[in-house]
Amino acid sequence: QVQLVQSGAEVKTPGASVKVSCKASGYTFTKYYMHWMRQAPGQGLEWMGRINPNSGDTNYAQNFQGRVAMTRDASVSTAYMELSGLRSDDTAVYYCARPLTTGVWEFDYWGQGTLVTVPS
Amino acid sequence: QSALTQPPSASGSPGQSVTVSCTGTSSDVGGYNCVSWYQHPPGKAPKLLIYEVSKRPSGVPDRFSGSKSGNTASLTVSGLQAEDEADYYCSSCAGSNNLVFGGGTKLTVL
């Protein structure tokens, strides 16, 4: 069965970077884009970007351009999202998600979420 | 501020129907048929309910339905059940390399 397992919670100081991992299993990792979303406390979901695990090509949301880097290690079926220049408003639960087999922008498999806390 | 506008709350009694709206622009909801809806219980990962405006993944009850008119998409939950109480989010692609979400609607089953 498809599973996305994310790394554990992090507490970071302002200005630092955080790198969240997402280990995939149960399917061919290189066949599906991996997307990253986040949800800040009391806020809605926000799309951060996606990576093609086969080529490494990325697309980032404009809000995160220059601060986010998505990478992957296909040998261990793991995608990574690194966010730099952390601010208190980056405190959020970060999710990785995989699209439907027949889809592009709709996600039927999600990681369990990783809480990143940046104290003000 | 989210790109798509949803009402912050909606409610209905068990057995009733409730509709949640999701308003965007011609650059997202109105321009593409890639609207999705998710149910997001507290502390859990979102669950896909509707994709491509009105399609249901296998396993999603037909009590959940989606539609779109112009720049506004809608999710209707029929035959409300207590277990439907959760946050609901819409999303839409916005061009070939962008995805936007709504701010979420908290559905309360009275």
Side-chain angles (χ1 to χ4, degrees):
Chain A
Q1 71 284 19
V2 174
Q3 279 194 305
L4 302 176
V5 179
Q6 297 182 221
S7 48
E10 304 258 15
V11 179
K12 295 291 183 180
T13 54
S17 297
V18 68
K19 191 170 185 178
V20 180
S21 67
C22 172
K23 182 169 176 60
S25 61
Y27 71 98
T28 303
F29 177 70
T30 51
K31 285 193 171 180
Y32 296 82
Y33 277 80
M34 190 69 77
H35 294 244
W36 290 88
M37 272 70 68
R38 76 177 187 180
Q39 184 175 32
Q43 304 297 313
L45 291 164
E46 183 177 20
W47 182 74
M48 299 180 68
R50 63 177 179 173
I51 183 168
N52 180 333
N54 187 44
S55 64
D57 290 344
T58 55
N59 301 115
Y60 300 138
Q62 193 165 8
N63 283 353
F64 298 97
Q65 290 276 359
R67 269 208 318 143
V68 71
M70 295 177 187
T71 58
R72 92 292 187 210
D73 183 344
S75 70
V76 290
S77 300
T78 300
Y80 304 91
M81 186 285 300
E82 184 168 20
L83 189 62
S84 59
L86 288 170
R87 310 181 292 251
S88 58
D89 61 359
D90 290 317
T91 294
V93 177
Y94 290 76
Y95 294 98
C96 59
R98 195 207 82 169
L100 280 173
T101 299
T102 55
V104 177
W105 296 107
E106 40 280 310
F107 313 111
D108 57 347
Y109 291 104
W110 293 69
Q112 82 275 21
T114 296
L115 175 62
V116 175
T117 303
V118 186
S120 54
Chain B
Q1 189 169 352
S2 301
L4 305 180
T5 301
Q6 296 181 234
S9 63
S11 62
S13 299
Q16 288 186 330
S17 293
V18 65
T19 296
V20 178
S21 62
C22 170
T23 302
T25 69
S26 58
S27 297
D28 38 63
V29 174
Y32 306 91
N33 286 325
C34 53
V35 175
S36 298
W37 288 91
Y38 297 88
Q39 181 187 64
H40 193 184
K44 295 186 176 182
K47 175 186 176 183
L48 180 65
L49 294 176
I50 298 289
Y51 67 101
E52 293 179 6
V53 177
S54 60
K55 296 179 180 178
R56 273 189 312 275
S58 62
V60 174
D62 60 6
R63 301 187 296 106
F64 295 92
S65 62
S67 62
K68 188 183 84 166
S69 177
N71 296 336
T72 298
S74 298
L75 171 74
T76 298
V77 185
S78 305
L80 266 178
Q81 300 179 3
E83 68 207 47
D84 298 332
E85 191 159 289
D87 294 332
Y88 291 81
Y89 291 89
C90 62
S91 69
S92 174
C93 62
S96 58
N97 292 315
N98 194 23
L99 181 72
V100 290
F101 280 92
T105 297
K106 181 176 182 62
L107 175 60
T108 301
V109 181
L110 302 171

